[in-house]
Amino acid sequence: MAALLLLFLFLFASSALCQDSLIGVNIGTEVTDMPSPTQVVTLLKSQNINRVRLYDADRAMLLAFAHTGIQLIISVPNDQLLGISQSNATAANWVTRNVAAYYPATNITTIAVGSEVLTSLPNAAPVLVSALKYIQAALVTANLDRQIKVSTPHASTIILDSFPPSQAFFNKTWDPVIVPLLEFLQSTGSPLMLNVYPYFDYVQSNGVIPLDYALFQPLQANKEAVDANTLLHYTNVFDAIVDAAYFAMSYLNFTNIPIVVTESGWPSKGDGPEHDATVENANTYNSNLIQHVINKTGTPKHPGVPVATYIYELYNEDTRPGPLSEKNWGLFHTNGTPVYTLRLAGAGAVLANDTTNQTFCVAKEKVDKKMLQAALDWACGPGKVDCSALMQGEACYEPDDVVAHSSYAFNAYYQKMMKASGSCDFKGVATVTSTDPSRGTCVFPGSAKSNQTLGHNTTALAPSANSTTSGCFQHPQASFDNLTFFSFLLLIALVFL
């Protein structure tokens, strides 16, 4: 009894001290200069993002996420769907190579089997549920089925007549797939994954949907959309689509399957007729969406029931085919600087992405070492940079290589020139980053660590890439407060022993 009480108190305390923000991001791969996996993880940690969805199961990425605590959705790509759906051995091999080899060091929580298969790859629809079942069976064999869920993301267009939400239903063409899929999700306790894009609903409505309604902007009471059947009031498109999915499931007698929104966002740039793909609208939508999710507002049908949501996406994908808007859904450029600064007053440290004044200049990876050495010699000579910290025995001497030394010298010059345009180029061997390159006692010029004051510097306090405190920003005073809090709970437990 005492042990159970202690366990309860520990879980309660953990919940109170480290809340999951329920906000995640998608990381696409169609990027010219994709940052290294370590750089990606460092950015995520600095933004206190504790949920990530990958569109594959890349080995380097999975290794980089080890011991971070970040919750990962990994994916079976559509081109592997057929093979897995036809062979239990193929599925077992996939789980062995991509899950068991990394778990639990890498916190894989979900496997997404395919992506928008019903709408983007309809010929594979008949094998979709088989693929999910084979992956699930492989997890059972590996004793990982209780820790890792299996599902598949859908486009919201599989739901017809989404307004009013109470009349929504799944496209009956897919009933032979949807019904067994929902049976599988219910039996395994897995979520329905849904990609929700109010941007497309707004654009395709030809003016019927007001822009403010799509952007989560405040509406006058007489302009809220009202479901005549339930009298529920809807103030934004996002909630209406999520509730349409709930109602569509209940129409088929499935009422206890949670929903996870695996993609949602707004493009920051467009061309031609894409007039509303702007930085201002993207900022407004994502800022309001994040606030909505973090507040655990729920939806009109299920108020207070949080909906975990993954922003599409972390980086702009400059090589993605299609119109200009398809390349501009990212929150960040690949150098770690934000596309725009989210307006998240009161939302805590999650995605507080104002890194505009936290930029540094570092050496590019995989460039000619002779060019780096020449640029380093110039910075420490004609460039008049103080390179004394790079001398043997000084704080930034180690590691003794041209890349590390060049990064320090380039950044010193960049900061000295007040981050002026062109001051971080060095004939193409340098790049700007928002990730503080300081390490240990080697503090780079411009780093907040150089005059760190506890309690006021969120950048200096951001977790490192291999920290295990993912997503839980800890105030410097927290260690004392937490100790006091746990001592109080332990005292309570002892009273009841």
Side-chain angles (χ1 to χ4, degrees):
M1 183 68 180
L4 287 174
L5 179 59
L6 283 170
L7 177 61
F8 168 78
L9 291 172
F10 174 77
L11 292 174
F12 173 79
S14 298
S15 173
L17 295 169
C18 184
Q19 294 289 339
D20 181 358
S21 70
L22 299 174
I23 283 290
V25 293
N26 289 270
I27 301 179
T29 57
E30 297 183 69
V31 180
T32 300
D33 295 315
M34 185 70 181
S36 70
T38 301
Q39 291 172 322
V40 171
V41 170
T42 299
L43 176 61
L44 293 168
K45 300 289 289 185
S46 74
Q47 297 300 309
N48 288 277
I49 297 170
N50 61 6
R51 290 172 178 256
V52 169
R53 177 188 173 207
L54 303 177
Y55 287 89
D56 51 23
D58 179 74
R59 171 178 168 78
M61 276 290 195
L62 292 176
L63 288 171
F65 278 101
H67 307 296
T68 64
I70 293 174
Q71 301 175 51
L72 273 189
I73 298 176
I74 63 172
S75 303
V76 175
N78 284 350
D79 60 6
Q80 297 179 27
L81 196 63
L82 185 60
I84 285 177
S85 70
Q86 294 180 336
S87 167
N88 189 45
T90 301
N93 184 48
W94 193 94
V95 167
T96 298
R97 287 186 294 105
N98 299 302
V99 181
Y102 305 99
Y103 186 89
T106 299
N107 189 19
I108 300 168
T109 60
T110 312
I111 300 172
V113 180
S115 179
E116 298 190 345
V117 174
L118 301 186
T119 49
S120 66
L121 196 64
N123 289 340
V127 303
L128 178 60
V129 176
S130 294
L132 268 74
K133 288 182 175 179
Y134 276 136
I135 291 291
Q136 177 69 17
L139 289 175
V140 171
T141 301
N143 292 318
L144 294 174
D145 55 303
R146 293 187 179 182
Q147 301 94 320
I148 300 172
K149 300 300 181 183
V150 180
S151 189
T152 182
H154 299 285
S156 62
T157 52
I158 66 169
I159 302 168
L160 302 183
D161 289 346
S162 58
F163 202 90
S166 62
Q167 292 182 3
F169 58 93
F170 292 112
N171 187 332
K172 295 186 182 298
T173 303
W174 299 120
D175 275 2
V177 178
I178 290 291
V179 173
L181 171 64
L182 294 178
E183 289 174 345
F184 170 83
L185 298 179
Q186 182 171 263
S187 67
T188 59
S190 299
L192 175 72
M193 291 179 159
L194 197 65
N195 296 341
V196 178
Y197 285 105
Y199 170 75
F200 292 124
D201 289 273
Y202 163 73
V203 170
Q204 294 163 10
S205 75
N206 295 317
V208 173
I209 294 177
L211 180 61
D212 283 349
Y213 184 56
L215 292 174
F216 286 92
Q217 291 291 72
L219 299 174
Q220 295 179 355
N222 62 352
K223 292 190 176 182
E224 294 178 357
V226 180
D227 187 324
N229 300 312
T230 61
L231 299 183
L232 293 173
H233 287 237
Y234 288 88
T235 60
N236 60 81
V237 176
F238 180 90
D239 282 351
I241 294 174
V242 173
D243 270 1
Y246 280 129
F247 278 109
M249 286 193 287
S250 66
Y251 180 81
L252 296 174
N253 297 316
F254 295 93
T255 58
N256 59 350
I257 298 174
I259 291 175
V260 169
V261 174
T262 35
E263 293 180 16
S264 192
W266 197 284
S268 61
K269 188 185 294 184
D271 53 16
E274 300 175 309
H275 307 296
D276 295 294
T278 66
V279 165
E280 177 62 25
N281 287 343
N283 192 344
T284 298
Y285 178 80
N286 282 324
S287 294
N288 288 339
L289 171 62
I290 292 166
Q291 192 78 58
H292 185 66
V293 174
I294 287 176
N295 289 345
K296 300 182 180 178
T297 308
T299 65
K301 179 173 171 56
H302 292 297
V305 176
V307 178
T309 300
Y310 291 74
I311 303 295
Y312 186 83
E313 55 189 333
L314 185 63
Y315 297 114
N316 278 335
E317 293 187 274
D318 62 329
T319 63
R320 191 172 180 82
L324 184 62
S325 62
E326 283 297 303
K327 309 174 192 296
N328 288 281
W329 291 81
L331 297 174
F332 291 88
H333 299 292
T334 53
N335 65 6
T337 58
V339 177
Y340 46 85
T341 302
L342 292 165
R343 298 185 286 263
L344 295 174
V350 178
L351 272 170
N353 71 335
D354 185 3
T355 59
T356 307
N357 294 316
Q358 302 166 18
T359 54
F360 305 86
C361 182
V362 296
K364 288 182 178 179
E365 298 180 9
K366 300 178 182 178
V367 295
D368 187 89
K369 296 297 188 292
K370 291 182 179 179
M371 292 182 65
L372 272 181
Q373 186 63 57
L376 171 61
D377 292 341
W378 183 89
C380 294
K384 298 181 179 179
V385 166
D386 180 4
C387 294
S388 59
L390 301 176
M391 302 296 290
Q392 188 169 3
E394 297 299 324
C396 297
Y397 176 73
E398 297 289 349
D400 181 19
D401 65 66
V402 68
V403 175
H405 285 194
S406 294
S407 289
Y408 182 89
F410 293 172
N411 180 68
Y413 181 80
Y414 177 65
Q415 303 295 335
K416 174 185 173 183
M417 300 302 293
M418 305 297 289
K419 306 179 185 179
S421 176
S423 61
C424 182
D425 180 68
F426 295 92
K427 295 188 177 180
V429 297
T431 186
V432 174
T433 178
S434 64
T435 302
D436 189 343
S438 301
R439 54 188 185 276
T441 58
C442 176
V443 179
F444 276 48
S447 170
K449 296 177 182 178
S450 60
N451 59 350
Q452 181 175 342
T453 302
L454 292 180
H456 298 281
N457 184 350
T458 57
T459 303
L461 295 171
S464 65
N466 59 1
S467 164
T468 58
T469 57
S470 167
C472 300
F473 178 77
Q474 189 174 46
H475 190 280
Q477 185 65 29
S479 60
F480 173 76
D481 292 342
N482 293 358
L483 179 60
T484 304
F485 186 55
F486 277 114
S487 298
F488 173 69
L489 291 178
L490 182 59
L491 180 61
I492 294 175
L494 291 174
V495 168
F496 287 93
L497 286 179

